Amino acid sequence: MRSMFAFSANLSTLFTDLPFPERFAAAKACGFDAVECQFPYAHPADELAALLRAQGQTLVLHNLPAGDWAAGERGIACHPGRVGEFLSGVEQAIAYATTLGVPRLNCLAGIPPEGVDAREAMVTLRANLRTAARMLAGHGLQLLVEPINSLDIPGFFVDRPAQAIALIQELRQTHGLDNLFLQYDLYHAQRMEGELAGHLQRWLPLIAHIQIADNPGRAEPGTGEIRYAFLFDWLERIGYQGHVGCEYFPADPGPGGTQAGLGWRAAHGRLPSGAKM
């Protein structure tokens, strides 16, 4: 039986030849009833909610605001001088999640600013996660921590899944933050630690969302070294019941490239009923 988990289309990386509001319908036409995105904040929340209702879709995840993305920032949760900005971003994210029906929000730790040592950055990150998790808990939301590989983003503060797990376990045990979880991106994890199947099984109770892309290249499953057919079956064997987010960059970046690359689902025995290729 293949019903334990469902795929969600990441609208920040897929269908990018279309304006963002048009990607919802494109994803639905390809069989995605669930979608996610990195940052929804460029569009009014009620407009996005209307798009979701029109397509009968659910938005399962988006990130907290992560600083000046265009300038290269990749999160500010570990920045000692920007705690107020971080918490304002948490409030904004909660407002969007409440309007959009999003159950979980993802936090990017970021790259510590020059002159801030690792100890100070960690003190700040711990405090920010503690406060953010409590803010989200008041709205019934989960807070996720995502490790990002430091080969793609040099200096990223939480770059290994084991590091994130240790942090999550510590905060759960010392502060009772039972809404704090791991976002396990298999692409980033493969680049830093590997041992994907073993870690998925070991950390399953703390994994609230999974994302996928192949390595090298961060394109569709089947374009690289990761044995996704095995891992999809493995997720069912170990009982994962969440979403698997397709946060990859299609090998064909041109118009229609996302649709052209979706053959991986059939090749892996994962073609949804009614989906268009």
Side-chain angles (χ1 to χ4, degrees), residues 29 44 50 59 79-80 101 104 110 122 131 142 148 161-163 187 191 195-196 199 209 211 230 235 261 263 271 273:
L59 187 68
H79 288 222
R104 61 192 60 85
M122 182 56 74
T131 303
Q142 296 174 340
I148 304 292
Q163 178 189 11
Y187 166 76
R191 298 215 71 188
E195 186 61 20
L196 300 179
H199 288 158
H209 192 74
Q211 290 180 330
F230 167 79
L235 288 174
L271 184 64
S273 60

PDB file of all heavy atoms in Angstrom, residues 29 44 50 59 79-80 101 104 110 122 131 142 148 161-163 187 191 195-196 199 209 211 230 235 261 263 271 273:
ATOM      1  N   ALA A  29      -2.493  20.439 -12.006  1.00  0.00           N
ATOM      2  CA  ALA A  29      -2.626  19.702 -13.259  1.00  0.00           C
ATOM      3  C   ALA A  29      -1.671  18.521 -13.320  1.00  0.00           C
ATOM      4  O   ALA A  29      -1.927  17.545 -14.033  1.00  0.00           O
ATOM      5  CB  ALA A  29      -2.392  20.639 -14.443  1.00  0.00           C
ATOM      6  N   PRO A  44       0.015  38.894  -0.959  1.00  0.00           N
ATOM      7  CA  PRO A  44      -0.910  38.954   0.181  1.00  0.00           C
ATOM      8  C   PRO A  44      -1.429  37.575   0.545  1.00  0.00           C
ATOM      9  O   PRO A  44      -1.768  36.771  -0.329  1.00  0.00           O
ATOM     10  CB  PRO A  44      -2.039  39.859  -0.329  1.00  0.00           C
ATOM     11  CG  PRO A  44      -1.401  40.697  -1.400  1.00  0.00           C
ATOM     12  CD  PRO A  44      -0.403  39.801  -2.062  1.00  0.00           C
ATOM     13  N   ALA A  50      -6.926  32.222  -1.581  1.00  0.00           N
ATOM     14  CA  ALA A  50      -7.925  32.050  -2.642  1.00  0.00           C
ATOM     15  C   ALA A  50      -7.413  31.107  -3.721  1.00  0.00           C
ATOM     16  O   ALA A  50      -8.182  30.297  -4.266  1.00  0.00           O
ATOM     17  CB  ALA A  50      -8.282  33.407  -3.236  1.00  0.00           C
ATOM     18  N   LEU A  59      -1.344  24.041   1.542  1.00  0.00           N
ATOM     19  CA  LEU A  59       0.039  24.508   1.643  1.00  0.00           C
ATOM     20  C   LEU A  59       0.607  23.918   2.927  1.00  0.00           C
ATOM     21  O   LEU A  59       0.126  24.226   4.021  1.00  0.00           O
ATOM     22  CB  LEU A  59       0.089  26.035   1.673  1.00  0.00           C
ATOM     23  CG  LEU A  59       1.470  26.683   1.609  1.00  0.00           C
ATOM     24  CD1 LEU A  59       2.118  26.450   0.251  1.00  0.00           C
ATOM     25  CD2 LEU A  59       1.382  28.186   1.881  1.00  0.00           C
ATOM     26  N   HIS A  79      21.865  35.447  14.458  1.00  0.00           N
ATOM     27  CA  HIS A  79      22.460  36.787  14.457  1.00  0.00           C
ATOM     28  C   HIS A  79      22.141  37.501  15.773  1.00  0.00           C
ATOM     29  O   HIS A  79      20.989  37.906  16.011  1.00  0.00           O
ATOM     30  CB  HIS A  79      21.922  37.604  13.290  1.00  0.00           C
ATOM     31  CG  HIS A  79      22.433  37.171  11.954  1.00  0.00           C
ATOM     32  ND1 HIS A  79      22.820  38.068  10.978  1.00  0.00           N
ATOM     33  CD2 HIS A  79      22.639  35.949  11.420  1.00  0.00           C
ATOM     34  CE1 HIS A  79      23.226  37.408   9.902  1.00  0.00           C
ATOM     35  NE2 HIS A  79      23.123  36.120  10.153  1.00  0.00           N
ATOM     36  N   PRO A  80      23.114  37.712  16.643  1.00  0.00           N
ATOM     37  CA  PRO A  80      22.832  38.328  17.944  1.00  0.00           C
ATOM     38  C   PRO A  80      22.220  39.720  17.856  1.00  0.00           C
ATOM     39  O   PRO A  80      21.405  40.090  18.707  1.00  0.00           O
ATOM     40  CB  PRO A  80      24.220  38.377  18.611  1.00  0.00           C
ATOM     41  CG  PRO A  80      25.000  37.304  17.942  1.00  0.00           C
ATOM     42  CD  PRO A  80      24.522  37.278  16.531  1.00  0.00           C
ATOM     43  N   GLY A 101      -3.625  28.225   6.469  1.00  0.00           N
ATOM     44  CA  GLY A 101      -3.827  26.877   6.989  1.00  0.00           C
ATOM     45  C   GLY A 101      -2.574  26.031   6.981  1.00  0.00           C
ATOM     46  O   GLY A 101      -2.632  24.802   6.888  1.00  0.00           O
ATOM     47  N   ARG A 104       3.051  23.996   9.662  1.00  0.00           N
ATOM     48  CA  ARG A 104       4.436  24.010  10.147  1.00  0.00           C
ATOM     49  C   ARG A 104       5.242  25.080   9.423  1.00  0.00           C
ATOM     50  O   ARG A 104       5.021  25.354   8.241  1.00  0.00           O
ATOM     51  CB  ARG A 104       5.087  22.636   9.969  1.00  0.00           C
ATOM     52  CG  ARG A 104       5.166  22.146   8.537  1.00  0.00           C
ATOM     53  CD  ARG A 104       5.556  20.674   8.457  1.00  0.00           C
ATOM     54  NE  ARG A 104       4.588  19.837   9.153  1.00  0.00           N
ATOM     55  CZ  ARG A 104       3.457  19.391   8.585  1.00  0.00           C
ATOM     56  NH1 ARG A 104       3.168  19.720   7.329  1.00  0.00           N
ATOM     57  NH2 ARG A 104       2.626  18.638   9.258  1.00  0.00           N
ATOM     58  N   GLY A 110      20.951  30.363   9.354  1.00  0.00           N
ATOM     59  CA  GLY A 110      21.715  31.422   8.726  1.00  0.00           C
ATOM     60  C   GLY A 110      23.216  31.262   8.863  1.00  0.00           C
ATOM     61  O   GLY A 110      23.722  30.271   9.390  1.00  0.00           O
ATOM     62  N   MET A 122      25.416  30.352  18.771  1.00  0.00           N
ATOM     63  CA  MET A 122      24.600  29.264  19.283  1.00  0.00           C
ATOM     64  C   MET A 122      23.700  29.718  20.426  1.00  0.00           C
ATOM     65  O   MET A 122      22.538  29.288  20.522  1.00  0.00           O
ATOM     66  CB  MET A 122      25.486  28.099  19.735  1.00  0.00           C
ATOM     67  CG  MET A 122      24.707  26.893  20.248  1.00  0.00           C
ATOM     68  SD  MET A 122      23.502  26.237  19.054  1.00  0.00           S
ATOM     69  CE  MET A 122      24.614  25.414  17.896  1.00  0.00           C
ATOM     70  N   THR A 131      12.015  30.812  21.878  1.00  0.00           N
ATOM     71  CA  THR A 131      10.932  31.793  21.844  1.00  0.00           C
ATOM     72  C   THR A 131       9.986  31.533  20.683  1.00  0.00           C
ATOM     73  O   THR A 131       8.756  31.580  20.834  1.00  0.00           O
ATOM     74  CB  THR A 131      11.512  33.217  21.727  1.00  0.00           C
ATOM     75  OG1 THR A 131      12.403  33.457  22.816  1.00  0.00           O
ATOM     76  CG2 THR A 131      10.401  34.256  21.759  1.00  0.00           C
ATOM     77  N   GLN A 142       3.871  23.768  14.288  1.00  0.00           N
ATOM     78  CA  GLN A 142       5.180  23.165  14.496  1.00  0.00           C
ATOM     79  C   GLN A 142       6.266  24.100  13.988  1.00  0.00           C
ATOM     80  O   GLN A 142       6.083  24.793  12.981  1.00  0.00           O
ATOM     81  CB  GLN A 142       5.286  21.839  13.745  1.00  0.00           C
ATOM     82  CG  GLN A 142       4.338  20.759  14.213  1.00  0.00           C
ATOM     83  CD  GLN A 142       4.399  19.531  13.328  1.00  0.00           C
ATOM     84  OE1 GLN A 142       4.838  19.588  12.191  1.00  0.00           O
ATOM     85  NE2 GLN A 142       3.961  18.391  13.850  1.00  0.00           N
ATOM     86  N   ILE A 148      21.408  22.947   6.345  1.00  0.00           N
ATOM     87  CA  ILE A 148      21.737  23.232   4.949  1.00  0.00           C
ATOM     88  C   ILE A 148      23.223  22.929   4.749  1.00  0.00           C
ATOM     89  O   ILE A 148      24.060  23.394   5.535  1.00  0.00           O
ATOM     90  CB  ILE A 148      21.469  24.707   4.590  1.00  0.00           C
ATOM     91  CG1 ILE A 148      20.010  25.072   4.889  1.00  0.00           C
ATOM     92  CG2 ILE A 148      21.818  24.973   3.136  1.00  0.00           C
ATOM     93  CD1 ILE A 148      18.994  24.402   4.011  1.00  0.00           C
ATOM     94  N   PRO A 161      22.595  17.217   9.722  1.00  0.00           N
ATOM     95  CA  PRO A 161      21.396  16.761  10.423  1.00  0.00           C
ATOM     96  C   PRO A 161      21.664  16.339  11.867  1.00  0.00           C
ATOM     97  O   PRO A 161      20.857  16.637  12.753  1.00  0.00           O
ATOM     98  CB  PRO A 161      20.923  15.579   9.567  1.00  0.00           C
ATOM     99  CG  PRO A 161      21.401  15.912   8.189  1.00  0.00           C
ATOM    100  CD  PRO A 161      22.730  16.580   8.389  1.00  0.00           C
ATOM    101  N   ALA A 162      22.785  15.668  12.130  1.00  0.00           N
ATOM    102  CA  ALA A 162      23.080  15.247  13.500  1.00  0.00           C
ATOM    103  C   ALA A 162      23.215  16.448  14.431  1.00  0.00           C
ATOM    104  O   ALA A 162      22.823  16.388  15.606  1.00  0.00           O
ATOM    105  CB  ALA A 162      24.352  14.405  13.527  1.00  0.00           C
ATOM    106  N   GLN A 163      23.764  17.532  13.919  1.00  0.00           N
ATOM    107  CA  GLN A 163      23.887  18.758  14.712  1.00  0.00           C
ATOM    108  C   GLN A 163      22.500  19.313  15.041  1.00  0.00           C
ATOM    109  O   GLN A 163      22.228  19.722  16.182  1.00  0.00           O
ATOM    110  CB  GLN A 163      24.709  19.782  13.931  1.00  0.00           C
ATOM    111  CG  GLN A 163      24.887  21.128  14.615  1.00  0.00           C
ATOM    112  CD  GLN A 163      25.514  22.156  13.690  1.00  0.00           C
ATOM    113  OE1 GLN A 163      25.625  21.935  12.485  1.00  0.00           O
ATOM    114  NE2 GLN A 163      25.910  23.289  14.241  1.00  0.00           N
ATOM    115  N   TYR A 187      18.793  15.877   0.017  1.00  0.00           N
ATOM    116  CA  TYR A 187      19.910  16.401  -0.785  1.00  0.00           C
ATOM    117  C   TYR A 187      20.992  16.965   0.131  1.00  0.00           C
ATOM    118  O   TYR A 187      22.171  16.604   0.024  1.00  0.00           O
ATOM    119  CB  TYR A 187      19.411  17.466  -1.750  1.00  0.00           C
ATOM    120  CG  TYR A 187      20.517  18.283  -2.368  1.00  0.00           C
ATOM    121  CD1 TYR A 187      21.318  17.763  -3.389  1.00  0.00           C
ATOM    122  CD2 TYR A 187      20.789  19.578  -1.915  1.00  0.00           C
ATOM    123  CE1 TYR A 187      22.350  18.509  -3.950  1.00  0.00           C
ATOM    124  CE2 TYR A 187      21.812  20.324  -2.469  1.00  0.00           C
ATOM    125  CZ  TYR A 187      22.589  19.788  -3.481  1.00  0.00           C
ATOM    126  OH  TYR A 187      23.625  20.527  -4.020  1.00  0.00           O
ATOM    127  N   ARG A 191      24.907  15.291   1.069  1.00  0.00           N
ATOM    128  CA  ARG A 191      26.158  16.004   0.852  1.00  0.00           C
ATOM    129  C   ARG A 191      27.003  16.077   2.124  1.00  0.00           C
ATOM    130  O   ARG A 191      28.236  16.113   2.052  1.00  0.00           O
ATOM    131  CB  ARG A 191      25.893  17.421   0.335  1.00  0.00           C
ATOM    132  CG  ARG A 191      25.186  17.472  -1.009  1.00  0.00           C
ATOM    133  CD  ARG A 191      25.646  18.631  -1.852  1.00  0.00           C
ATOM    134  NE  ARG A 191      27.019  18.426  -2.342  1.00  0.00           N
ATOM    135  CZ  ARG A 191      27.725  19.364  -2.976  1.00  0.00           C
ATOM    136  NH1 ARG A 191      27.207  20.564  -3.186  1.00  0.00           N
ATOM    137  NH2 ARG A 191      28.946  19.112  -3.385  1.00  0.00           N
ATOM    138  N   GLU A 195      24.182   8.101   4.866  1.00  0.00           N
ATOM    139  CA  GLU A 195      23.489   7.212   5.803  1.00  0.00           C
ATOM    140  C   GLU A 195      22.005   7.582   5.888  1.00  0.00           C
ATOM    141  O   GLU A 195      21.394   7.629   6.970  1.00  0.00           O
ATOM    142  CB  GLU A 195      24.147   7.290   7.182  1.00  0.00           C
ATOM    143  CG  GLU A 195      23.643   6.321   8.242  1.00  0.00           C
ATOM    144  CD  GLU A 195      23.844   4.852   7.878  1.00  0.00           C
ATOM    145  OE1 GLU A 195      24.692   4.557   6.993  1.00  0.00           O
ATOM    146  OE2 GLU A 195      23.166   4.005   8.467  1.00  0.00           O
ATOM    147  N   LEU A 196      21.389   7.828   4.723  1.00  0.00           N
ATOM    148  CA  LEU A 196      20.033   8.373   4.696  1.00  0.00           C
ATOM    149  C   LEU A 196      19.011   7.428   5.310  1.00  0.00           C
ATOM    150  O   LEU A 196      18.196   7.848   6.132  1.00  0.00           O
ATOM    151  CB  LEU A 196      19.648   8.728   3.259  1.00  0.00           C
ATOM    152  CG  LEU A 196      20.537   9.770   2.559  1.00  0.00           C
ATOM    153  CD1 LEU A 196      20.062  10.000   1.134  1.00  0.00           C
ATOM    154  CD2 LEU A 196      20.557  11.080   3.336  1.00  0.00           C
ATOM    155  N   HIS A 199      19.441   7.090   9.155  1.00  0.00           N
ATOM    156  CA  HIS A 199      19.061   8.294   9.880  1.00  0.00           C
ATOM    157  C   HIS A 199      17.555   8.531   9.819  1.00  0.00           C
ATOM    158  O   HIS A 199      16.952   8.979  10.806  1.00  0.00           O
ATOM    159  CB  HIS A 199      19.815   9.503   9.318  1.00  0.00           C
ATOM    160  CG  HIS A 199      21.258   9.505   9.686  1.00  0.00           C
ATOM    161  ND1 HIS A 199      22.215  10.201   8.967  1.00  0.00           N
ATOM    162  CD2 HIS A 199      21.941   8.898  10.701  1.00  0.00           C
ATOM    163  CE1 HIS A 199      23.400  10.023   9.529  1.00  0.00           C
ATOM    164  NE2 HIS A 199      23.262   9.240  10.570  1.00  0.00           N
ATOM    165  N   HIS A 209       8.994  16.846   8.308  1.00  0.00           N
ATOM    166  CA  HIS A 209       8.878  17.113   6.867  1.00  0.00           C
ATOM    167  C   HIS A 209      10.169  16.640   6.204  1.00  0.00           C
ATOM    168  O   HIS A 209      11.249  16.726   6.802  1.00  0.00           O
ATOM    169  CB  HIS A 209       8.679  18.612   6.612  1.00  0.00           C
ATOM    170  CG  HIS A 209       8.270  18.944   5.207  1.00  0.00           C
ATOM    171  ND1 HIS A 209       7.010  18.698   4.721  1.00  0.00           N
ATOM    172  CD2 HIS A 209       8.950  19.509   4.178  1.00  0.00           C
ATOM    173  CE1 HIS A 209       6.931  19.105   3.463  1.00  0.00           C
ATOM    174  NE2 HIS A 209       8.101  19.596   3.106  1.00  0.00           N
ATOM    175  N   GLN A 211      12.331  16.761   2.379  1.00  0.00           N
ATOM    176  CA  GLN A 211      12.454  17.330   1.038  1.00  0.00           C
ATOM    177  C   GLN A 211      13.447  16.503   0.227  1.00  0.00           C
ATOM    178  O   GLN A 211      14.332  15.849   0.785  1.00  0.00           O
ATOM    179  CB  GLN A 211      12.904  18.798   1.094  1.00  0.00           C
ATOM    180  CG  GLN A 211      11.815  19.712   1.648  1.00  0.00           C
ATOM    181  CD  GLN A 211      12.232  21.165   1.712  1.00  0.00           C
ATOM    182  OE1 GLN A 211      13.403  21.493   1.875  1.00  0.00           O
ATOM    183  NE2 GLN A 211      11.261  22.059   1.600  1.00  0.00           N
ATOM    184  N   PHE A 230      14.370   3.063  -3.653  1.00  0.00           N
ATOM    185  CA  PHE A 230      14.549   2.371  -2.378  1.00  0.00           C
ATOM    186  C   PHE A 230      14.069   3.231  -1.217  1.00  0.00           C
ATOM    187  O   PHE A 230      13.361   2.762  -0.317  1.00  0.00           O
ATOM    188  CB  PHE A 230      16.019   2.003  -2.170  1.00  0.00           C
ATOM    189  CG  PHE A 230      16.329   1.571  -0.765  1.00  0.00           C
ATOM    190  CD1 PHE A 230      16.027   0.291  -0.343  1.00  0.00           C
ATOM    191  CD2 PHE A 230      16.895   2.463   0.143  1.00  0.00           C
ATOM    192  CE1 PHE A 230      16.289  -0.112   0.969  1.00  0.00           C
ATOM    193  CE2 PHE A 230      17.153   2.077   1.446  1.00  0.00           C
ATOM    194  CZ  PHE A 230      16.852   0.786   1.860  1.00  0.00           C
ATOM    195  N   LEU A 235      10.586   4.677   3.358  1.00  0.00           N
ATOM    196  CA  LEU A 235       9.737   5.574   4.144  1.00  0.00           C
ATOM    197  C   LEU A 235       8.423   4.898   4.519  1.00  0.00           C
ATOM    198  O   LEU A 235       7.904   5.091   5.627  1.00  0.00           O
ATOM    199  CB  LEU A 235       9.469   6.866   3.374  1.00  0.00           C
ATOM    200  CG  LEU A 235      10.649   7.825   3.250  1.00  0.00           C
ATOM    201  CD1 LEU A 235      10.293   8.996   2.341  1.00  0.00           C
ATOM    202  CD2 LEU A 235      11.091   8.338   4.617  1.00  0.00           C
ATOM    203  N   GLY A 261      10.186  16.940 -16.686  1.00  0.00           N
ATOM    204  CA  GLY A 261      11.022  16.159 -15.786  1.00  0.00           C
ATOM    205  C   GLY A 261      10.271  15.287 -14.807  1.00  0.00           C
ATOM    206  O   GLY A 261      10.890  14.572 -14.020  1.00  0.00           O
ATOM    207  N   GLY A 263       8.740  12.625 -15.168  1.00  0.00           N
ATOM    208  CA  GLY A 263       8.763  11.195 -15.439  1.00  0.00           C
ATOM    209  C   GLY A 263       9.366  10.380 -14.321  1.00  0.00           C
ATOM    210  O   GLY A 263       9.153   9.161 -14.266  1.00  0.00           O
ATOM    211  N   LEU A 271       3.397   7.593  -9.723  1.00  0.00           N
ATOM    212  CA  LEU A 271       2.582   8.493 -10.532  1.00  0.00           C
ATOM    213  C   LEU A 271       1.194   8.612  -9.904  1.00  0.00           C
ATOM    214  O   LEU A 271       0.480   7.613  -9.767  1.00  0.00           O
ATOM    215  CB  LEU A 271       2.463   7.972 -11.962  1.00  0.00           C
ATOM    216  CG  LEU A 271       1.704   8.887 -12.940  1.00  0.00           C
ATOM    217  CD1 LEU A 271       2.464  10.193 -13.110  1.00  0.00           C
ATOM    218  CD2 LEU A 271       1.531   8.181 -14.272  1.00  0.00           C
ATOM    219  N   SER A 273      -2.794   9.357  -9.562  1.00  0.00           N
ATOM    220  CA  SER A 273      -3.896   9.182 -10.501  1.00  0.00           C
ATOM    221  C   SER A 273      -4.323  10.535 -11.061  1.00  0.00           C
ATOM    222  O   SER A 273      -4.402  11.521 -10.330  1.00  0.00           O
ATOM    223  CB  SER A 273      -5.083   8.507  -9.810  1.00  0.00           C
ATOM    224  OG  SER A 273      -5.543   9.291  -8.733  1.00  0.00           O
TER     225      SER A 273
END
